[in-house]
Amino acid sequence: MDMLYAVVAGAAVILALSYLRGRWFGFTAQAPSDYSGAPGEVLDLRKHLNGPIQCDGVIYGPTGRVTLRFTAEFDATWDGNRGRMTEDFIYDSGATQRREWHLTLGNDGRVVATAPDVVGEGLGQLGGPALQLRYRIRLPEDSGGHVLDTVDWMYLAPNGTIVNRSQFRKFGIKVAELVATMRRKEAA
């Protein structure tokens, strides 16, 4: 009986530590307020996500190995606090994908984002040089059609490049992660 108690107690401690690590120390524990007042330029979507943008990135699967690599061309336009951004992806598999985001900025730094494959609205918050955006995305049918909970973080680098890190979860378990850079394309 003492051995069973020790095993159960040990498992409970491991689960509690795992929960606390994710809740207080992991990727999802960040908050936009963590970046408010950070030195350097503040992320302004109307400035930094405007015009033609080159995006390059990788997607990691659940084992942590790269499963897809991609390049994309974005084009973003703004009318006051309302923006539209089209994204044209080319994956290393040869597959292509197009997404169109509609963005609304609040005067308090809140962001509302919609796209055809986003379930409902994505909700975000700017904080200094960073943006956190949370939404639910529906994968294409050829990828299973699953709906994943997504947390995007975009960080403005000193040279104006935006570094994007996203995690995708199903039932709270991380199933994929994306890391990409976005930078303004020079006029041709």
Side-chain angles (χ1 to χ4, degrees), residues 34-57:
D34 294 341
Y35 299 98
S36 295
E41 191 173 3
V42 170
L43 177 60
D44 180 348
L45 298 182
R46 293 165 297 200
K47 175 183 175 186
H48 297 105
L49 282 182
N50 193 16
I53 299 164
Q54 178 65 45
C55 178
D56 301 290

Side-chain angles (χ1 to χ4, degrees), residues 2 11 26-27 43 46 55 61 68 71-72 80 119 136-137 155-156 187:
D2 288 337
F27 175 76
L43 177 60
R46 293 165 297 200
C55 178
L68 283 173
T71 62
V119 178
R136 301 184 77 217
I137 192 165
Y155 309 95
L156 181 63

